Amino acid sequence: MDKSNGLRVILFPLPLQGCINPMIQLAKILHSRGFSITVIHTRFNAPKASSHPLFTFLQIQDALSETETSTHDVTLLLTLLNRSCESPFRECLTKLLQSADSKTGEEKQRNCSLIHDSGWIFTQPIAKSLNLPRLVLNTYKVSSFRDHFVLPQLRREMYLPLQDSEQDDDPVQEFPPLLKKDLIQILDKETEILDSYTKMILETTKASSGLIFVSSCEELDQDSLSQAREDFQVPIFTIGPSHSYFPGSSSSLFTVDDTCIPWLDKQEDKSVIYVSFGSITTISEAEFMEIAWGLRNSNQPFLWVVRVDSVVHGTERIDEQLHEKGKIVNWAPQQEVLKHRAIGGFLTHNGWNSTVESVFEGVPMICLPFEWDQLLNARFVTDVWMVGLHLEGRIERNVIEGVIRRLFSEAEGKAIRERMELLKEKVRRSVKPKGSSYRSLQHLIDYISSF
């Protein structure tokens, strides 16, 4: 850490794996530049304070039951969290600021800003009443975050002849590079809670002092940035990929199975297909078996992350033949896995963190997206950057086997790897001195320091 600059930043992450990691990565970056760090967090999915002894952690009660926190409906979970955490957060933040004001001498730290995840929608009036500048942190691709605010309007207007299956592969002009069949999946979702929540995110973001895209860089989002600045009318900082500043550092909510690394050490270079669908996605037992046999029949060694709660009705039918060819773990150190010489491909749900980590390590992707931003990210991977192959939602063993063979054994896969190598180098340059993300980070630090 550089010498302390006398400034304290207060961070408030959402209690989801894909949100906590980027927030803690930002905390490490800011701490290395002289800021003191306080993290306010929920009881549910609390980050491991012992892993970050240089930060102060303050826990608030979320009052959610085990049934509520175990739901697979993420929008419902976030709605419940926002409802139950507003008062505890206000009380915690108020006490924190009052305590800081009472200190003197070397102990005194000026609280210069609050940075919270975009999913917290009650913070604006609280921060304003306490005269605390507030920035919003976002873990999505810039275009995903900007475009999803239009979805409620599209639903109200009954957009597109969605039932015309012959046009499923046509592009959506308003959402390039989405196809109509992608939009069908998005607009099919239950909307009342989601649309209300989305509106509040937009209002909270527009009222902030700035917007931080912690996993994006100009090289991956150049076309969307100018429009986003016009839409939000606040300073925007694209500082990603943030994990690159502290490689290998993770704040996993799951117990990592490190035995996968010695197993990878025994495999040939670029021979292994890594499979992970993130920390939230669930699949049926039938889908699990189709993926399993697609992997087995491809004849490529595989490393597959299967969370305990990720398969509906369990995985009792795992065959010994699967274990002979691959390794299945409950959770893996993903950054370490993706940079391993043995990894030759990544079968992914295309969450933005996973997508960027794959690009940063130059690992081609096989795309199986499930939700809104994942569908858009996957189209960028396959149709814009052309560094992966798309399963088009077909969870069938013969399709999965065929796509893996195309990536590992055919000329098409070789061309994909060459394009991925070029994209990797562009993104890696962004975080080096004089790179776009490096400059944006410096602008962010200067901005926060000016409050």
Side-chain angles (χ1 to χ4, degrees):
M1 174 183 171
D2 295 342
K3 185 178 178 181
S4 173
N5 59 17
L7 301 176
R8 179 175 296 278
V9 177
I10 303 165
L11 305 179
F12 187 33
L14 269 182
L16 301 176
Q17 180 69 77
C19 299
I20 289 177
N21 260 356
M23 186 70 84
I24 296 298
Q25 287 161 3
L26 177 61
K28 290 180 178 180
I29 294 168
L30 294 177
H31 187 264
S32 73
R33 301 300 183 95
F35 293 89
S36 296
I37 302 296
T38 293
V39 180
I40 300 176
H41 62 89
T42 59
R43 175 190 57 83
F44 168 62
N45 277 353
K48 296 175 182 175
S50 60
S51 299
H52 312 285
L54 298 178
F55 304 162
T56 299
F57 288 83
L58 300 175
Q59 179 171 291
I60 60 173
Q61 293 301 313
D62 48 64
L64 298 188
S65 68
E66 186 175 341
T67 301
E68 289 171 326
T69 56
S70 62
T71 179
H72 292 298
D73 185 337
V74 178
T75 303
L76 175 60
L77 174 62
L78 296 183
T79 301
L80 293 172
L81 281 166
N82 272 277
R83 187 180 303 157
S84 64
C85 290
E86 181 173 359
S87 293
F89 176 78
R90 179 189 290 108
E91 181 180 349
C92 179
L93 185 60
T94 301
K95 285 183 177 178
L96 175 61
L97 297 185
Q98 290 173 344
S99 172
D101 289 341
S102 67
K103 291 182 178 179
T104 59
E106 292 184 3
E107 284 188 333
K108 193 171 181 64
Q109 294 275 335
R110 181 164 66 83
N111 293 289
C112 60
S113 62
L114 166 68
I115 301 176
H116 67 81
D117 193 283
S118 61
W120 291 119
I121 58 177
F122 57 75
T123 53
Q124 192 269 334
I126 297 174
K128 185 177 180 180
S129 69
L130 297 170
N131 199 29
L132 185 65
R134 180 181 62 86
L135 289 87
V136 172
L137 180 141
N138 195 277
T139 59
Y140 293 106
K141 192 177 188 299
V142 176
S143 53
S144 300
F145 185 65
R146 185 178 69 82
D147 290 347
H148 87 281
F149 296 115
V150 184
L151 294 177
Q153 178 184 344
L154 296 187
R155 291 192 187 96
R156 288 194 300 270
E157 295 175 355
M158 301 297 291
Y159 179 76
L160 296 174
L162 295 179
Q163 304 309 314
D164 189 348
S165 59
E166 292 182 3
Q167 296 183 359
D168 277 1
D169 289 320
D170 287 354
V172 180
Q173 299 302 323
E174 293 85 349
F175 291 96
L178 275 185
L179 305 182
K180 287 187 178 179
K181 61 185 175 184
D182 301 322
L183 198 60
I184 291 171
Q185 286 183 257
I186 296 165
L187 298 186
D188 253 0
K189 301 291 183 183
E190 292 294 329
T191 63
E192 187 173 345
I193 294 177
L194 179 59
D195 287 356
S196 174
Y197 184 54
T198 298
K199 181 182 178 183
M200 287 300 300
I201 290 176
L202 178 60
E203 292 175 358
T204 301
T205 301
K206 285 187 172 182
S208 72
S209 297
L211 179 55
I212 305 168
F213 286 94
V214 74
S215 300
S216 282
C217 59
E218 287 185 11
E219 286 71 10
L220 296 178
D221 255 316
Q222 193 166 18
D223 294 342
S224 303
L225 271 172
S226 58
Q227 187 60 52
R229 290 190 172 100
E230 186 177 322
D231 292 344
F232 295 107
Q233 297 289 303
V234 298
I236 293 179
F237 307 92
T238 50
I239 67 170
S242 61
H243 78 276
S244 65
Y245 296 95
F246 291 90
S249 65
S250 175
S251 299
S252 178
L253 297 171
F254 303 96
T255 302
V256 171
D257 186 343
D258 290 316
T259 64
C260 59
I261 302 302
W263 182 85
L264 286 172
D265 291 340
K266 299 175 184 177
Q267 310 305 316
E268 296 180 6
D269 288 1
K270 298 189 185 307
S271 65
V272 177
I273 179 77
Y274 171 56
V275 185
S276 177
F277 302 129
S279 59
I280 296 175
T281 300
T282 58
I283 58 176
S284 68
E285 185 181 8
E287 290 171 329
F288 173 85
M289 294 307 297
E290 291 299 307
I291 294 169
W293 286 107
L295 292 169
R296 178 65 184 87
N297 295 342
S298 74
N299 211 33
Q300 292 292 144
F302 61 86
L303 171 62
W304 189 2
V305 174
V306 181
R307 301 186 331 271
V308 172
D309 63 342
S310 65
V311 182
V312 179
H313 302 312
T315 58
E316 290 80 7
R317 294 168 56 198
I318 295 177
D319 195 282
E320 277 301 315
Q321 293 181 62
L322 291 178
H323 292 292
E324 291 173 8
K325 195 63 186 176
K327 184 173 179 64
I328 298 175
V329 296
N330 289 333
W331 197 249
Q334 181 161 291
Q335 292 172 27
E336 191 175 354
V337 167
L338 287 171
K339 69 172 57 176
H340 197 284
R341 58 160 185 80
I343 297 297
F346 183 12
L347 174 50
T348 172
H349 66 310
N350 288 110
W352 186 234
N353 290 332
S354 292
T355 300
V356 172
E357 288 170 7
S358 197
V359 168
F360 195 79
E361 301 302 338
V363 178
M365 284 166 268
I366 296 174
C367 302
L368 183 59
F370 294 86
E371 301 289 345
W372 149 241
D373 71 300
Q374 300 166 13
L375 293 159
L376 188 62
N377 298 340
R379 290 296 168 203
F380 273 95
V381 169
T382 60
D383 298 2
V384 178
W385 306 325
M386 295 186 290
V387 294
L389 298 170
H390 207 303
L391 283 169
E392 303 297 349
R394 296 180 63 188
I395 307 179
E396 303 165 23
R397 64 186 69 187
N398 62 316
V399 175
I400 293 168
E401 174 190 351
V403 169
I404 293 172
R405 291 185 183 277
R406 284 166 61 195
L407 183 62
F408 280 85
S409 305
E410 299 180 11
E412 182 181 14
K414 181 180 178 182
I416 286 172
R417 292 178 193 283
E418 290 172 353
R419 288 191 290 270
M420 177 59 98
E421 192 65 24
L422 294 174
L423 183 61
K424 178 187 85 170
E425 292 307 315
K426 283 176 62 178
V427 172
R428 286 189 167 226
R429 281 197 298 269
S430 73
V431 295
K432 293 180 179 178
K434 298 183 180 180
S436 65
S437 294
Y438 188 93
R439 295 194 308 271
S440 189
L441 174 59
Q442 189 57 53
H443 292 154
L444 172 64
I445 290 166
D446 293 342
Y447 185 61
I448 295 173
S449 301
S450 70
F451 292 134

